[in-house]
Amino acid sequence: MSDLRAQALEWLAQDPDPDTRAELRAILDAGDERALAERFGTRLEFGTAGLRGELGAGPNRMNRVTVMRAAAGLAARLPRRGRVIIGFDARHGSRRFAADTAAVLGGAGLRPEVFADPVPTPVLAHFVRAHDDIVAGVMVTASHNPPRDNGYKVYWADGAQIVPPLDAEISAAIDAVGRVDELPLAADWPVHDDAGRYLDAVSSLRLGGPARDSGGDLSIVYTPLHGVGRDVLLQAFDRAGFPAPAVVPEQAEPDPDFPTVAFPNPEEPGALDLALALARARGADLVIANDPDADRCAVAVPGDGGWRTLTGDELGCLLAGHVLRHTTGDDRLVVTTIVSSSLLRSIAAAHGVRFAESLTGFKWIMKAGGPEDDGGCGGSSPHRKPGRLVFGYEEAIGYSVGDDRGVLVNDKDGIGAALAVAAMAAQARRDGRTLLDLLDDQAREHGLHATSQLSIRVDDLSLITSAMSRLRADPPVHLGGRAVERFDDLSHGVDGLPPTDGLRFRLSGGSRVVIRPSGTEPKLKCYLEVVLPVEDDIQKVRARAAADLDALRTDLSTILS
């Protein structure tokens, strides 16, 4: 008997799910060694993003055994009798995985509580932070991944996602878990069906947002992309005094199959087509989209050439300016990641506030703005800076907005960002301006910072490793016609940041390229930035920047092919 077959039979004997048992039994009966190798040749790694992967049988898939093992490993790292809140989205398996997590945690002596219905991720993250007696939170979601995927995020007591070395400690505890059919399980636990505390907090953000008398004429189209954001967002808008956005009817209800989009990510081409069509038909001022778990926010606006979707960096820098105009104090801190636009540094300097860069991912953004005490994560981040974090963003349309009290959620918050965007657009409208005008204002003041991406998807992850090794061994001296003035291998730790698998090229004129493997998908991602002074017609400068970005993409495509 092959080792893979023996592993599969052992898995089959403990799996409580009849569907994955049937899947695995069929594979065994067919003698499909390739399918066995895909499922048992490796396993999903538990890291700072928790777990995320395709649904199915085996340790390299998301399933009830994988989830129960993860819950048991988490329980081993938590104080006994600690209170843990569990949320889930509307994806296939999410409700069942949440219940399995509660059963395992309860059986281990903890006090699990589960939301009764699917909730947005920021509601769960805020709930953890808002209750002093909660020691951790679990969110079952794969965010904007394809329909076949699911995932498992862990939040610590501060309401932020875990960082090293805590992830490694939990992973080691997971490895030590025996058969899941031998775990003690709880039979019941308290259930929540209230997002009220989050709604109170988000609707009270003091960012110059209009009450009904000043924002009533702003027409907004909204899509939750078949996710779970709609009901909470509509309640938040109502409490904050905004008129209800028009919701795209074809995408209004949660649907784990995401039938109207090829990929449920508002950044993907075509994802906003239905929202844009409705906006044109209604003559709307703004399109706002959340991803399926509502932790990301995308925005489109009308312009002279038709509707335009703002990039994550454009919206991030607009929101930063808006937050800083409506907050006070020189202890304010704004944070972004090493792959996001360098414009935020200039905006922070102009407002006389503190600025920090972090590694990619909101868990690092929140640690850059956190206290020196790591909240139990075990170890401090050397790049952490003191300050009152009022805004953080990453280019992948993730934003955490705050007011003079600091940020509302210690993670991405697509609903809070949507409210801030609406307030900013309404205020610009009152001033006879648009969001595109505000972008031009920033470019004239700080220079045009144009950003773009190149993503290379692979079937074999070894191709990513070999490409990174080639670049480390023989880095280019020119990219896109610009000299490489500095090359940083981020795996060694640079500028006080923890080591990470990434490469950064600083180019002449302030431009920049960062290359890193994706943390959630089989992709090599390249982040491009071109910086140009605005001394004449801004549209001509934008055209030059677009040409420079194209030149960078061409060179990188050749180098990485």
Side-chain angles (χ1 to χ4, degrees), residues 437-481:
D437 291 330
L438 299 185
L439 282 177
D440 288 348
D441 292 345
Q442 284 188 338
R444 292 187 183 97
E445 182 177 359
H446 305 289
L448 177 64
H449 293 61
T451 60
S452 186
Q453 276 193 43
L454 171 67
S455 292
I456 300 174
R457 185 178 287 270
V458 299
D459 295 323
D460 183 355
L461 290 177
S462 68
L463 296 175
I464 291 178
T465 302
S466 62
M468 296 293 285
S469 297
R470 286 199 318 271
L471 286 171
R472 285 189 169 98
D474 186 21
V477 296
H478 289 86
L479 285 171

Side-chain angles (χ1 to χ4, degrees), residues 173-238:
I174 293 171
D175 290 343
V177 175
R179 292 173 58 112
V180 300
D181 58 344
E182 296 176 353
L183 292 171
L185 302 177
D188 55 65
W189 43 84
V191 173
H192 287 281
D193 60 0
D194 180 23
R197 184 169 291 203
Y198 170 82
L199 285 167
D200 289 343
V202 75
S203 61
S204 66
L205 279 170
R206 295 187 288 271
L207 293 175
R212 296 186 190 277
D213 58 348
S214 56
D217 59 350
L218 190 69
S219 173
I220 300 174
V221 166
Y222 169 72
T223 176
L225 283 184
H226 301 292
V228 299
R230 179 195 61 187
D231 292 349
V232 175
L233 181 136
L234 291 179
Q235 291 178 68
F237 268 61
D238 180 65

Side-chain angles (χ1 to χ4, degrees), residues 364-438:
W364 293 115
I365 289 175
M366 289 301 140
K367 293 305 174 185
E372 291 303 319
D373 177 11
D374 67 1
C377 285
S380 61
S381 301
H383 67 292
R384 205 177 302 172
K385 300 182 186 301
R388 175 168 46 99
L389 182 63
V390 295
F391 180 71
Y393 97 92
E394 61 182 358
E395 48 72 41
I397 60 173
Y399 315 96
S400 183
V401 296
D403 53 22
D404 277 325
R405 300 166 293 180
V407 294
L408 168 66
V409 177
N410 283 346
D411 197 12
K412 299 182 293 292
D413 178 9
I415 294 171
L419 273 174
V421 168
M424 178 170 57
Q427 182 171 326
R429 184 186 182 99
R430 292 197 305 272
D431 296 338
R433 313 282 284 164
T434 68
L435 296 188
L436 296 181
D437 291 330
L438 299 185

Side-chain angles (χ1 to χ4, degrees), residues 484-526:
V484 176
E485 296 182 339
R486 175 177 164 180
F487 167 64
D488 295 321
D489 183 348
L490 302 177
S491 67
H492 300 314
V494 176
D495 298 333
L497 296 168
T500 188
D501 188 9
L503 306 171
R504 180 169 60 191
F505 303 86
R506 296 197 183 276
L507 312 179
S508 57
S511 300
R512 181 217 66 198
V513 171
V514 178
I515 302 174
R516 59 178 282 271
S518 169
T520 56
E521 300 174 81
K523 285 181 178 180
L524 192 63
K525 303 186 78 172
C526 307

Side-chain angles (χ1 to χ4, degrees), residues 46-68:
F46 185 94
T48 54
L51 294 166
R52 193 177 296 186
E54 186 175 347
L55 293 163
N60 197 36
R61 295 288 189 269
M62 282 295 298
N63 50 65
R64 294 183 64 187
V65 176
T66 296
V67 165
M68 293 172 76

